[in-house]
């Protein structure tokens, strides 16, 4: 059972209430966000996924009011951010850190100066800044680069500096807009691990915008799928991965967990009858092999495993097996019923073109 299974059990840290955002562009109105209602629980890592132009960046920028909504309210920790005056807002913003795809570091400042910048702006004393800087450099493992300039750093190192700068003032919320999209897969992994550590050790709520499902899969407790300014589906990552409802969600999941049978596998079969193909989905840590073996033993049918894959989300396993069932139609029906009784979800998958 994942820790964050039911949204309602947790206090919402960030609430979007009837949020819409329109932009005027060359005399035309662009609706970037359309009536969004969404709660982000305290202490979780929350992913916002969608194709380019879906409205993800606009939504995340509303959290610290870098962008103001055209309609609706942003409630953070029970406080209506949309009703704050500018000095109250300045104060509240110090609780929110943000990191970006292209890091946004000041090129003419050193690593140390970049990290210290927000504290300097807040008027923190030199001695305190020094102390916090040392902690942060230690935390991001970049002590040896403290006097280097951004140009002298790798992408991963730049993002670590971005993270340290965002954490300088001990924020309660960290916003990440495509923070790993400019990084190679290995570096992405290490940055995601650092973000997970920040969430777990410091209890910071992290909101993460991405267009990559493997980012969601590896670190997010919850996910909301966006399309054309709307949230089309949301829930715990495990729920969304195990029972995606919308086509866009299915397409995203397809990138990490094959939902359809690859066509060349079908082409190589002796019996190409598409109706004989089933997808068996196993949730949690259910003993797949045992169930499949029992079917073969109990029913006089032939079961060929064509393709199998599995993924792990927050410690729970989702496994899929594409099989071909051949034999007497009634026995096949009975086998399917047996599998379902044993907790296996059985569907007839499409074929990937
Ligand atoms: N400042 C702006 N002016 C006009 N249109 C904008 C502005 N910012 C975003 N948009 C439009 O709003 C929509 C959502 O954009 P965005 O939030 O950047 O999407 P995403 O981050 O999901 O790619 C797009 O159609 C985009 O062109
Ligand atoms: Mg964006």
């Amino acid at each position: 059972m994942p820790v964050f299974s039911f949204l309602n059990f947790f206090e919402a840290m960030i609430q979007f209430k009837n949020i819409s955002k329109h932009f005027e562009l060359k005399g035309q109105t662009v609706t970037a966000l359309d009536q969004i209602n969404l709660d982000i629980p305290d202490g979780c890592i929350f992913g916002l996924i969608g194709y380019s132009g879906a409205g993800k960046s606009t939504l995340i920028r509303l959290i610290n009011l870098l962008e103001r909504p055209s309609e609706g309210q942003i409630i953070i920790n029970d406080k209506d951010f949309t009703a704050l005056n500018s000095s109250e807002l300045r104060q509240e913003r110090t609780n929110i850190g943000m990191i970006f795809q292209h890091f946004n570091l000041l090129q003419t400042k050193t690593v140390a100066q970049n990290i210290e910048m927000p504290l300097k702006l807040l008027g923190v004393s030199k001695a305190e800044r020094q102390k916090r800087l040392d902690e942060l450099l230690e935390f991001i493992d970049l002590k040896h680069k403290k006097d280097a300039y951004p140009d002298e750093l790798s992408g991963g190192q730049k993002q670590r500096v971005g993270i340290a700068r965002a954490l300088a003032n001990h924020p309660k919320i960290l916003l990440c807009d495509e923070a790993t999209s400019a990084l190679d897969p290995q570096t992405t992994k290490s940055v995601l691990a650092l973000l997970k550590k920040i969430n777990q050790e410091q209890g910071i709520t992290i909101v993460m915008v991405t267009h990559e499902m493997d980012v969601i899969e590896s670190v997010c407790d919850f996910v909301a799928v966006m399309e054309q300014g709307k949230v089309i589906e949301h829930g715990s990552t495990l729920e969304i991965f195990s029972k995606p409802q919308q086509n866009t969600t299915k397409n995203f999941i397809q990138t990490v967990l094959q939902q359809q049978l690859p066509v060349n596998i079908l082409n190589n079969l002796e019996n190409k009858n598409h109706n004989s193909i089933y997808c068996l989905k196993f949730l949690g840590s259910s003993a797949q092999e045992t169930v499949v073996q029992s079917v073969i033993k109990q029913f006089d049918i032939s079961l060929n495993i064509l393709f199998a894959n599995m993924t792990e989300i927050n410690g729970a396993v989702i496994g899929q097996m594409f099989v071909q069932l051949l034999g007497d139609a009634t026995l096949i029906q009975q086998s399917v019923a047996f599998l379902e009784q044993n907790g296996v979800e059985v569907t007839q998958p499409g074929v990937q073109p």
Side-chain angles (χ1 to χ4, degrees), residues 52-53 55-58 101 177-178 209:
S52 177
K56 310 178 295 293
S57 294
T58 307
Q101 178 172 3
D177 192 351
E178 303 277 7
V209 160

Side-chain angles (χ1 to χ4, degrees), residues 245-257:
Q245 305 293 318
Q246 305 292 328
N247 280 337
T248 299
T249 314
K250 289 177 188 168
N251 289 339
F252 274 119
I253 293 173
Q254 170 83 12
T255 62
V256 287
L257 191 64

